[in-house]
Structures are given as structure tokens and as C-alpha cells.
Amino acid sequence: MSTLMSGARMLVECLAREGVDCMFGYPGGVTLPFYDVLYDHQIRHILVRHEENAAFAAEGYARATGRVGVCCATSGPGATNLTTGLVDAMMDSIPIVAITGQVSTKLIGSDAFQEADTFGITRPCTKHNYLVKKLDDLGQAIHEAFYVAASGRPGPVLVDITKDVLQGQGHYQPVASVHLPGYKVFTEGHTGQIRRAAQLIQESARPLVYSGGGIIAAGATRELREFVELAGTPAVNTLMGLGGLPSSHPNFISLPGMHGSYAANMAMTNADLLIALGVRFDDRVTGRLAAFAPHAKVIHVDIDPAEIGKNRAPEVPIVGDVKRVLAKLNKLLSEAPPTDEKLSAARRAWWRQIRQWKEEHPLEVVKSDTEIKPQHLMGEIDRISGGDAIVSSDVGQHQMWAAQLIRFNEPRLWLNSGGLGSMGFGLPAAIGAQFAHPEKLVFAVVGDGGFQMSIPELATVASYGLPIKIVVMNNGYLGMVRQWQTLFYNNRLSAVELDCFPDAEKLAGAYGFKGRTIDKPWELAPALEEAVREPGPYLLNVKVSPLESVYPMVPAGGAINEMVLGPPQPVAAK
Amino acid sequence: MLQIISLLLENKPGALMRVTGLLSQRGYNIESLTVARTLDPEISRMTIVVDVETAQRQQVIKQMNKLINVLQATDLTDLPAVVRELVLVRIRTAQESRAAVLKEAEIFGGRVVDSSTEGFAIEVTGDPEKLGEFVDVMRSYGEIEATRSGAVVIALEAKRLRLQPPVPTRAGGSKVEEPVA
């Protein structure tokens, strides 16, 4: 049965059918018909203050839940403002659907007011995109968009809809199935390769699990845990994969890569078998590729065939859903005979070696009596969180310290812009996460740079009364860029000083919530506790020691075992 | 090296842009590209010649196959296939060399499509390398202008000749097929 309705209503019906409960957006001229339907519909529309943040908030929602996040914007500038968030979701494989309005079909190509080639602009920013110029195509496009966004390797999908489609009247026929003949998703994994993988794992003396965002996207944390326990392997989690294995798990080492721990990078370099699960051998993890894991055979499991062999040719390639592949591997491993004594001894030596690396150079919470060290701040957030709070990070030094020092005992607690590294991500993503989990403690851990990119969203936080704890790690610099200038550009600090930062108490006060600035180490714990006790939003501006750098650090182009473990001899500031 | 890719894609708006955009996005240089409908008007066949390092060849195909409008991307570089291209050459030549030009055209299996006192327009099809030689030869007789069509290819292995979607689909669900990874 079909009913006559407007395109705009059809769109909202489709969204409701896809289970959308809230969406993040900003209205405009061509989306007026859509907003008119939303006026009295049960789908909750969250008004952000900039379209880019609508995309980031949708990502935050998706990252925190695994469900598809939805954002919408008007034509022209509304759509172009979404693009950073779309690329961000593309890089981190986050399922979001973006709805944009387009000028009327007959005006397309005429340089009409607020016209932009959204379809063309967003082609490389999305997993797939649609331009809907006929009302009959609308339902199909929306349902396909949700299917494509969430299935296979997840990603952003944009649907651009002309105003005449939104205004037109048509019959809505619920779409029963999605038919995409060119869309291939391989989930099962090749049985023979899985068997070979199990064989290699059983023969390996120094195995290591290198797992990433794919574990979280696939919901495979339980399988991963079972796997590392069955196989008896240590595991590193990438920046995108934190929470894949609980930080408290005895087999967990920490994160590898440019700012990874000594133990993680040494383990990668010395392993004889790398079990790569839902990772893409990103340059920030591998360092100089030619010197990466030189002694290791590689088993690579990924749902995207194009990731396999892209950067490192694996001995055992497995295209499939990592959850299903791990389940099969676990079955094989649990049926396997126990390893012989010689191999067991080698495994014990491997574990001893890893424990020794951990003890030699642990990731430590550095403290001082006079100033707040950034690591101290992250240590305190970790203490309060206890591995259970959502931490939405921005991009830069604080992101690395947070990743190193805050524990995550579950997936979908650590939200950060990993691949694209978009500053301004932290606060809007926290907004999306808080809407998804109203009951959870959500920290937006941001730098003074990224925070100032997302200040407009304080209005969103205030107007919806979101109890987000915004913690600004304020060092007065664009710290990561400053760190590189210090280390690699003779400390010529160019355009990195953020010498003006608003008074946090007054700023938060202007929006009607509490804020405070602290700079003494003894103020830190009580101030954070006060922020968490506060039922509403809280802005805590923490002035930390300004010239601290993130270590360990692998210089660009270096091998990951060539870490710089601490600061060089002090250089006089300009 | 030059890689020859045969692509089946859904004849949908923007499909061509997705393919060319992907190639430039990933840093592959397009040597030539042709596209036209197949017997099924909803499906187009595209032949692309790209200049890529040998190690990247598989990656190009995998990225192409990820495009949702692409039904099948096949690397035909090393497989039994016929590659053909068409060139149209206009040559302005002196009276005394007209006969020689016609003789050369004949050697290359060319066809005169226009003749005037100034010279000829000649059409030749063949494999792209041969056409290059033909153009060089013509150039030695006088001023020329040439338009090449770009390569088209057809695979000679029966199993690669398909116009059907390569993967059976289950309505609404995911497609399950094990790739030979």
C-alpha cells in the first residue's frame, strides 16, 4: 500500500524506518520543506552551530554506538562545510549518512543562489554518494545510503536532494530490499587461509597481535579477547583500536607507532609473526615501511580487499569480517594440540622480553610540584574514568598523551580523529556521544587550539544542557607543531603561539554554565572531581607546562624501534 | 608500465567521474580511456590504460572494484585479449608523394575517408603500437593532424566475457563470495 506524501515527508519516513532517533544539522533555504516535516516528527533534530560540527557530532554518535550517525545541511555552503567531517569519517571508516539539500533540478548548472556541485565535491569524500533529481528515486537512495554506510568497511554516504524533489508529491512505497550488483562484501574469510593462519600461530615463537579500528567496527572485542588468550599472544592496539582489548588485560601492551610505547614498538620490531586484525599499516604506525617488523611473517585480516597488500604484502591474506574470521580461528586454536616444550620455552622467553621492555621504559605519569604536567592531567582523567568514561579527544599533543595514559576497558569509549587528524573534532564528537549515551560520563579532552575551533558549539552544549566535561589542556601553543619546530626546525617557533585564550569562567558563564581555570598541580584532582560532580556542563581550563613534548617519538621517516625516548638537551627559547 | 583494464560499470550519472576521480586521487596516470554502452543499455564497458608501477597493478584493480557502480574490473594486461585503437590522420602532402602515401596507408590496412587536392584523411585501426608507427610514417610525408580513439579491448577467455553482474546478490543482504585473495 502506498500513500501520497511530499518528498520531504518521504525522506523523514525513510529515516525513521532506518531507526534514526536523532540527527545533527543546520537548516537553510532548500531544506525548508524537510524542516517543516521535522517540526512535529518524533525524530530529534539537534541544531549545531556550524555544519562541520554536525558531521563531527554524527561521527561521535556513530563512534560511540556503532549505529549510523546522521547529519544534514543545506545546499552550497552548508554542504561544503560538511566535507571535513565526511573525509574524517572516510579515513576512520565511520558509518554516517549526510543529507544535503540541492537547488531545484531546473536551476542546476545555472550558478543559482547557494548552488554548489555537492555531488562532485563529495565524490572523493564519501564511500558513495547520490544526487536525487526524481522523487521516485528518493526512497531507494536513502535506504541504499544506510546499507552502504553500515555494511562492509563502514564509511560516509551523502544523499544530495533537490528542492523540487522535497516539495514534490508522490507515492511512498517502502523499499523491501537493496539491490547493488556492484557492491561486494566478503565476510567469511577463505577457509584454507584461516587454516594456514592457525598453523602459523601455533608454530610462532614470538607472535604479536596488531589490532585496530576494524575490531571495534566489527564488534569483535569478545572474539579478540578469546583469541589472545587462546593463542597466548601479547597485543598492541592502534590509536583507532584502543578499547579493542581492555587496557587492563594482561596481554595488552599499549599503542604502537610514532608516539607508541617502547614496549609496543620493540615488540613489533622483534615479532616473528604479526597477526594484523582490522588495521591498514598506516604510516603513523609503521614508520619507515622497509624497516617495519622485519622479522615477521604477516597474517592480515581485513574486510577491505584493497587494504591487503597495500602497504605490506602478507604471507597469509584473509579478506573477511574480522569477527567471523576470529571466531573460526578461535575454534581451530581451541582444537589444536598443545605446543611442544621447545616452543613453549621460546614463548615464555618472548613474554619475559616484553615485560622487560615494559619495565625499562614505561609510559609514565610525570608530575611536578610547581606546574601541571600534561601527563599528570591525563593520569587524573584516567583515575576518575577508571577505564569506563567516554573520552572524546581533539588532535595534537593532548591526543597522544590521552591515548598513552588513559585506559579504556571497553570499545567505543575512545573517540578521536585518527586518520584525518581534524582539529575541532573533540567537542562536537563529544556532543554526538552524549546524545547517544545521556547517562554516561563524557569528557571532551581538547587542546587550546582545537577548542577554539569548536567554541561555537558551547552554545549547543548549553542549550541542550549536555553534562559534557570539557577539559582544555592549555599549553598556550599549537603544541604538536611547536614540538616539531623545536625538534626539527631549530626551535624557530613560527605561528604556533596562542597568546590569547578567553577567561574560562567568564566564557562558560556567558553560556550559563560553570567554568574554571587552574594552573597548580594540587588544584588538579579536586577541580576535576568538582567538574564531574557538577550535574551540567563544565569547562575546565588546565594550564599545563607549555614546552612539554610527547615521547617516545619516532621521527618522520624513522624505523619505529629508533624512538627518541626523551627530550634533547634544552634549547634556549627564541 | 602500461596496464590495460577492462571495466563493466552501471550506466549511472557520475559513474565515469567516480572512475576518473579515483585514478587521479590515487595518483595513477591515465594513458587512454574509452567508454560506451554494452548490449545491455544499463551497463557500460570502459577500457582504461594506466601508467603504473608493476607493484601497484593489483591495487588499482582492487580500488576500482570498491566503486559501487563498478560491476567488474579486470586486468587484461597479461591475459589473452585483443587490443585495438583507431586513428584518424589528415595529411597535407605534395602531388608527387600522393601515391607513396596511399601505398603506406595500404600497408597499414588504412582506408582513405577523404581525398582533396591538399591531401587525404585516412583511417587506420590496429594495435596502439602499430598506430604509433603509422603516424610516424605519415609525418615523414608532410604536415599531419591525428586523432586517436584510445584503446578498446576484448578478452578472449570465455569466462571473462560477461555482461551479468559478477556477484550474485541476495536481496537486502550482504553478498557472500570468497575471493581468491
Side-chain angles (χ1 to χ4, degrees):
Chain A
M1 203 195 83
S2 68
T3 10
L4 190 69
M5 58 173 79
S6 73
R9 176 156 296 277
M10 206 182 286
L11 168 60
V12 176
E13 288 303 322
C14 290
L15 295 176
R17 241 165 205 284
E18 290 292 343
V20 176
D21 55 0
C22 81
M23 58 193 292
F24 305 88
Y26 208 96
V30 298
T31 52
L32 280 165
F34 174 58
Y35 277 83
D36 187 58
V37 179
L38 282 179
Y39 178 78
D40 50 7
H41 196 275
Q42 84 265 14
I43 290 181
R44 200 168 174 206
H45 177 275
I46 313 302
L47 179 65
V48 292
R49 297 303 189 266
H50 189 287
E51 290 91 346
E52 178 179 296
N53 298 325
F56 286 151
E59 273 199 272
Y61 179 94
R63 287 172 194 254
T65 60
R67 298 203 297 273
V68 177
V70 181
C71 57
C72 62
T74 192
S75 63
T80 57
N81 278 344
L82 284 181
T83 52
T84 304
L86 294 173
V87 181
D88 195 87
M90 189 74 178
M91 290 288 266
D92 288 348
S93 309
I94 305 301
I96 63 171
V97 167
I99 308 287
T100 53
Q102 182 53 274
V103 300
S104 285
T105 308
K106 63 178 190 308
L107 289 176
I108 285 181
S110 72
D111 302 318
F113 176 64
Q114 291 194 330
E115 183 190 355
D117 176 16
T118 305
F119 185 59
I121 290 167
T122 59
R123 199 281 311 157
C125 309
T126 51
K127 184 172 171 184
H128 196 57
N129 63 0
Y130 295 86
L131 169 57
V132 180
K133 295 197 279 190
K134 289 205 295 271
L135 187 49
D136 289 347
D137 297 339
L138 181 62
Q140 193 73 35
I142 298 294
H143 293 304
E144 284 183 14
F146 276 83
Y147 175 63
V148 170
S151 58
R153 178 179 182 173
V157 180
L158 178 136
V159 187
D160 196 28
I161 308 166
T162 59
K163 189 174 188 184
D164 51 301
V165 166
L166 291 175
Q167 285 173 322
Q169 294 283 320
H171 287 278
Y172 175 50
Q173 267 165 343
V175 176
S177 70
V178 169
H179 177 67
L180 292 164
Y183 183 52
K184 310 155 196 85
V185 179
F186 309 110
T187 54
E188 294 307 310
H190 192 280
T191 315
Q193 298 287 27
I194 293 174
R195 208 171 289 127
R196 274 184 64 205
Q199 186 74 31
L200 277 185
I201 292 162
Q202 282 165 271
E203 290 165 6
S204 159
R206 301 188 307 279
L208 179 70
V209 166
Y210 155 38
S211 78
I215 291 288
I216 290 160
T221 49
R222 206 167 44 109
E223 287 79 3
L224 175 65
R225 192 182 174 143
E226 197 186 336
F227 175 79
V228 297
E229 287 167 7
L230 275 172
T233 62
V236 298
N237 283 176
T238 67
L239 186 66
M240 286 304 297
L242 289 175
L245 191 67
S247 303
S248 57
H249 195 280
N251 294 37
F252 177 71
I253 302 182
S254 60
L255 87 158
M258 183 172 270
H259 294 294
S261 73
Y262 178 75
N265 285 346
M266 292 305 283
M268 288 279 230
T269 307
N270 289 281
D272 70 352
L273 178 67
L274 217 51
I275 305 145
L277 306 169
V279 291
R280 56 187 177 90
F281 291 80
D282 177 70
D283 59 87
R284 284 297 189 267
V285 168
T286 63
R288 181 152 41 87
L289 204 54
F292 176 70
H295 313 294
K297 289 184 175 164
V298 173
I299 298 167
H300 192 178
V301 184
D302 205 285
I303 198 156
D304 180 358
E307 282 308 331
I308 294 188
K310 186 179 84 177
N311 294 332
R312 167 82 175 239
E315 274 70 18
V316 183
I318 302 174
V319 179
D321 179 339
V322 72
K323 187 181 174 80
R324 300 199 195 191
V325 172
L326 277 180
K328 291 178 185 179
L329 267 174
N330 289 344
K331 186 157 183 298
L332 288 175
L333 290 176
S334 62
E335 291 162 356
T339 49
D340 65 61
E341 186 41 43
K342 195 170 153 228
L343 198 63
S344 299
R347 287 278 185 101
R348 283 195 298 275
W350 175 232
W351 271 106
R352 267 199 306 281
Q353 175 69 79
I354 283 167
R355 273 191 291 271
Q356 193 187 330
W357 284 325
K358 274 184 164 180
E359 283 158 21
E360 274 170 20
H361 299 286
L363 292 169
E364 267 179 320
V365 174
V366 188
K367 289 183 191 175
S368 136
D369 293 337
T370 51
E371 50 181 10
I372 303 175
K373 290 281 183 187
Q375 298 91 332
H376 184 192
L377 169 60
M378 299 310 162
E380 281 303 310
I381 293 172
D382 174 62
R383 183 182 60 81
I384 289 170
S385 154
D388 293 326
I390 291 178
V391 176
S392 175
S393 159
D394 218 89
V395 169
Q397 286 186 314
H398 68 279
Q399 178 190 21
M400 293 301 116
W401 279 311
Q404 288 178 344
L405 297 168
I406 301 177
R407 290 163 300 164
F408 298 98
N409 287 333
E410 277 175 54
R412 306 197 176 281
L413 294 177
W414 166 245
L415 320 177
N416 85 131
S417 168
L420 192 63
S422 320
M423 283 176 68
F425 171 91
L427 180 56
I431 290 171
Q434 188 78 81
F435 274 108
H437 296 294
E439 77 298 343
K440 275 201 99 96
L441 173 59
V442 177
F443 285 104
V445 177
V446 297
D448 45 331
F451 174 69
Q452 292 186 80
M453 286 193 179
S454 45
I455 276 186
E457 296 311 322
L458 290 178
T460 313
V461 171
S463 101
Y464 292 95
L466 301 173
I468 297 171
K469 311 309 166 194
I470 306 164
V471 181
V472 182
M473 189 202 84
N474 188 337
N475 54 11
Y477 283 105
L478 294 169
M480 191 56 94
V481 185
R482 198 275 312 151
Q483 175 169 345
W484 282 60
Q485 290 179 346
T486 298
L487 293 173
F488 308 115
Y489 291 85
N490 296 321
N491 205 35
R492 287 154 55 91
L493 303 188
S494 179
V496 288
E497 202 174 339
L498 299 172
D499 51 5
C500 172
F501 190 83
D503 179 318
E505 194 176 344
K506 284 186 189 159
L507 178 65
Y511 287 100
F513 60 89
K514 282 191 188 163
R516 183 182 168 191
T517 298
I518 56 167
D519 60 0
K520 300 287 181 288
W522 55 87
E523 294 174 306
L524 182 55
L528 273 169
E529 279 156 19
E530 183 197 321
V532 171
R533 264 199 312 274
E534 173 69 26
Y538 200 99
L539 174 63
L540 183 63
N541 178 30
V542 184
K543 291 188 138 176
V544 298
S545 44
L547 295 174
E548 201 72 28
S549 291
V550 184
Y551 295 104
M553 179 181 191
V554 178
I560 57 167
N561 60 330
E562 296 161 357
M563 285 159 280
V564 181
L565 292 164
Q569 292 308 307
V571 190
K574 187 169 75 172
Chain B
M1 69 167 291
L2 294 183
Q3 179 185 17
I4 302 167
I5 301 162
S6 183
L7 212 69
L8 270 184
L9 75 164
E10 292 180 282
N11 196 0
K12 289 201 171 163
L16 176 65
M17 168 185 81
R18 291 183 204 281
V19 174
T20 54
L22 175 83
L23 287 166
S24 72
Q25 178 188 351
R26 299 265 168 196
Y28 311 132
N29 289 322
I30 304 177
E31 198 63 24
S32 79
L33 186 152
T34 65
V35 59
R37 278 182 190 174
T38 60
L39 300 176
D40 179 345
E42 297 196 344
I43 296 175
S44 296
R45 168 75 71 181
M46 193 184 265
T47 303
I48 313 169
V49 181
V50 279
D51 190 4
V52 287
E53 289 166 39
T54 314
Q56 286 294 313
R57 270 172 55 186
Q58 238 198 336
Q59 182 64 208
V60 178
I61 298 292
K62 284 176 171 178
Q63 293 294 348
M64 293 278 174
N65 271 321
K66 271 170 72 172
L67 293 174
I68 284 160
N69 294 144
V70 169
L71 301 174
Q72 189 187 37
T74 316
D75 185 350
L76 292 180
T77 316
D78 298 326
L79 292 175
V82 178
V83 186
R84 286 292 177 267
E85 189 175 354
L86 179 143
V87 67
L88 291 170
V89 173
R90 270 183 65 201
I91 178 158
R92 186 195 293 264
T93 186
Q95 280 296 330
E96 56 272 26
S97 37
R98 284 178 73 96
V101 166
L102 288 177
K103 188 76 196 155
E104 294 283 6
E106 202 186 324
I107 290 169
F108 283 90
R111 212 156 64 88
V112 175
V113 288
D114 185 64
S115 173
S116 69
T117 51
E118 306 235 300
F120 304 104
I122 302 168
E123 157 195 329
V124 183
T125 61
D127 78 62
E129 214 175 309
K130 266 276 168 285
L131 294 191
E133 289 167 20
F134 174 69
V135 170
D136 287 343
V137 168
M138 285 296 117
R139 197 180 277 136
S140 68
Y141 286 98
E143 207 182 311
I144 68 162
E145 192 186 317
T147 302
R148 297 177 70 147
S149 66
V152 292
V153 64
I154 195 158
L156 297 177
E157 277 179 318
K159 70 180 170 97
R160 306 217 172 248
L161 250 186
R162 52 181 161 185
L163 295 175
Q164 288 302 308
V167 181
T169 56
R170 248 200 345 249
S174 60
K175 280 126 281 185
V176 179
E177 188 192 77
E178 289 200 353
V180 188

